[in-house]
Amino acid sequence: ASRPAAARRATRAAFATQHITLTRTTTPPPHLGVRLAPRRRGTTTLQVSGEQGHGGRSSISGLKVAVFGATGFLGRYVVNELGKTGTTVTIGNRGCEMETRHLRPMFDLGNMAIEFYSTRDDDSIRRTIEGCDIVINMIGKRYETRKLLPTSPDGALDPIKGSRINFGFDEVNIDIPAKLAKISKEMGVDKFIHVGALSADPDAKSHFSRSKYFGEEAVRKEFPEAVIVKPAELFGHEDRLFNWQGEMGSRLPAIPMLEDGSGLVQPVYVGDVADAIIKMTDDGPHAHHTASVDKMGSDEEEEDIFGIKAHVAGSGGKFKGATLELAGSDDFTRREVMDFVSDLTSLNKPAVPMPEAILKVVASAAAVVPEPWLTVDEVDRWGENVTLDPETDAVTLEDLDIRPVRVEEIAFQYLHRFRKGGHFVLHEGYHANEGKGFNDPGAKVRSIAGNRPFV
């Protein structure tokens, strides 16, 4: 007769325990309350006391985070990093459940919850935040969403005095962040992290940049200890900066450019910004520290366990009220960005310099569709110089010990789709001339910063 099920389970558990191996033997200082979590056939993961599971996604860190704006470009990267450390995340969702379905594989079973809410319904926001230690706000939009017909503030049809604006820049970038910060403070949330913009300026020509500035000020008023993250223009697989150029080059005979394209940008990789936000969540008594073991327990008073400057991070290495200004290692003109995409995709579409007034007329016509490819406010942003001040007092990627990913390291991974034939047109035949092509400095693909070879 077969053994009882309970006996079989006990035998399997004992066998599994005997075969658990540690791939790292370094032990963290005991005063930090950090232990190494054993994993079967894998690497070990740092955990704080009380954490359960084998580490990584298959663990429960005890940290609970509410995320607003999780389905956006930056949001999906942040959520993925939270899932890697066994964080329990509540994702606010304003629409269909399918909009967050792609985020579920980032978490082990039970570590992700979806709460339906409306930014105009305070009770639904409270339900989303309830029980969470940290709130992260990444809500944003590059254009103002519009209704089909003009309505009054109460939603009634009003062709005379009504407005077609549904969510405008002021509501998205000022009112909503302030509301989230206020409710978070009232509910006793430990930390509020708000994502603003490096372009934020009260005197900016762009409505988007002005509203971002006043939104950051509103958050500070409601939650003085909030962490403000101000990234430069993001690049990555789902970006708009480079993909827009590729889309326009594949559809139009020429690509519109604001005047001489001299506006400066200093793009930052979306993954670097996500890493910086995760380090903010890892900062505090509630955190599940994922810092390297060799930095823990150091006697250096100028550094905390993340390598952050103590005078920047604040007392105890906590980022209370800190401002982060995040940008890449290189800055480029808009014209250089266009030339880079043109060379990389071999589309070779000419850039057409256009006066601001004419380009705004084109943008106005393009903005009538639900998801416009260009807006008047974006034209204003094209004329802004958005670069990191080298003398800034804010926390930067360097302070966080994050090496900025350069554009050349990743752009080809998602821009070669605009090239006819994709990647293999750089080779003569399938796998012929192996070792030559994109990584060959002689290939007809140049860098946007001084013709340097790609790495």
Side-chain angles (χ1 to χ4, degrees), residues 151-451:
T151 61
S152 61
D154 59 0
L157 182 64
D158 188 350
I160 307 300
K161 297 182 180 180
S163 171
R164 288 188 57 214
I165 299 295
N166 184 19
F167 283 96
F169 286 133
D170 288 342
E171 182 174 6
V172 172
N173 296 332
I174 303 176
D175 299 341
I176 292 175
K179 180 184 293 186
L180 295 177
K182 180 179 180 180
I183 293 176
S184 297
K185 191 68 172 178
E186 292 172 351
M187 298 186 69
V189 169
D190 294 337
K191 182 176 295 183
F192 187 84
I193 301 173
H194 170 68
V195 177
L198 191 61
S199 65
D201 186 340
D203 301 318
K205 193 173 184 180
S206 161
H207 189 184
F208 172 89
S209 298
R210 293 195 307 273
S211 64
K212 278 291 187 181
Y213 172 84
F214 292 113
E216 293 167 7
E217 293 295 305
V219 167
R220 281 268 184 251
K221 180 179 179 181
E222 299 293 348
F223 204 121
E225 307 87 3
V227 175
I228 305 294
V229 181
K230 299 167 61 107
E233 191 148 7
L234 301 175
F235 76 90
H237 286 72
E238 304 90 350
D239 72 30
R240 179 169 172 81
L241 177 63
F242 295 113
N243 279 310
W244 186 88
Q245 304 287 345
E247 290 284 356
M248 295 303 103
S250 62
R251 297 181 181 185
L252 303 176
I255 304 176
M257 179 178 66
L258 177 62
E259 297 174 345
D260 60 353
S262 59
L264 289 173
V265 292
Q266 193 173 349
V268 59
Y269 178 53
V270 62
D272 293 338
V273 177
D275 287 344
I277 293 175
I278 294 303
K279 287 200 174 188
M280 298 303 101
T281 66
D282 281 342
D283 174 57
H286 50 258
H288 49 285
H289 298 300
T290 54
S292 60
V293 176
D294 53 340
K295 282 193 176 183
M296 292 187 172
S298 172
D299 294 330
E300 300 177 13
E301 294 183 358
E302 292 299 320
E303 304 273 337
D304 69 1
I305 64 172
F306 298 111
I308 311 301
K309 296 176 183 177
H311 72 278
V312 174
S315 175
K318 297 180 180 180
F319 289 82
K320 290 184 178 180
T323 297
L324 281 63
E325 295 185 354
L326 310 178
S329 56
D330 303 305
D331 57 63
F332 315 103
T333 65
R334 295 278 178 176
R335 179 59 187 258
E336 286 176 325
V337 170
M338 297 179 73
D339 291 342
F340 167 68
V341 176
S342 180
D343 285 351
L344 193 60
T345 60
S346 294
L347 293 172
N348 298 321
K349 296 296 179 66
V352 179
M354 301 178 69
E356 181 180 344
I358 295 178
L359 188 55
K360 284 187 174 181
V361 172
V362 175
S364 298
V368 298
V369 296
E371 294 189 12
W373 61 271
L374 183 63
T375 67
V376 172
D377 195 75
E378 282 184 302
V379 174
D380 288 331
R381 270 178 269 166
W382 284 1
E384 298 173 350
N385 294 329
V386 184
T387 58
L388 183 65
D389 181 357
E391 304 298 326
T392 183
D393 293 328
V395 179
T396 64
L397 290 176
E398 181 181 1
D399 296 325
L400 296 169
D401 198 25
I402 298 175
R403 182 190 71 83
V405 174
R406 300 178 69 175
V407 171
E408 300 95 315
E409 296 178 55
I410 194 171
F412 183 75
Q413 297 177 17
Y414 59 95
L415 290 180
H416 73 81
R417 68 190 179 94
F418 295 108
R419 179 189 288 266
K420 293 182 179 179
H423 174 72
F424 289 103
V425 296
L426 297 174
H427 295 257
E428 295 178 5
Y430 195 78
H431 290 316
N433 295 327
E434 193 160 352
K436 295 185 179 295
F438 179 70
N439 288 322
D440 180 4
K444 188 180 179 292
V445 183
R446 65 180 179 82
S447 166
I448 49 180
N451 293 316

Side-chain angles (χ1 to χ4, degrees), residues 68-73 94 117 119 137-145 167-169 171-174 176-177 180 194-196 208 212:
F68 295 89
T71 58
F73 178 26
R94 295 190 303 115
Y117 81 106
T119 55
N137 174 44
M138 294 176 285
I139 295 176
K141 200 72 173 178
R142 66 176 179 84
Y143 59 89
E144 297 182 310
T145 57
F167 283 96
F169 286 133
E171 182 174 6
V172 172
N173 296 332
I174 303 176
I176 292 175
L180 295 177
H194 170 68
V195 177
F208 172 89
K212 278 291 187 181

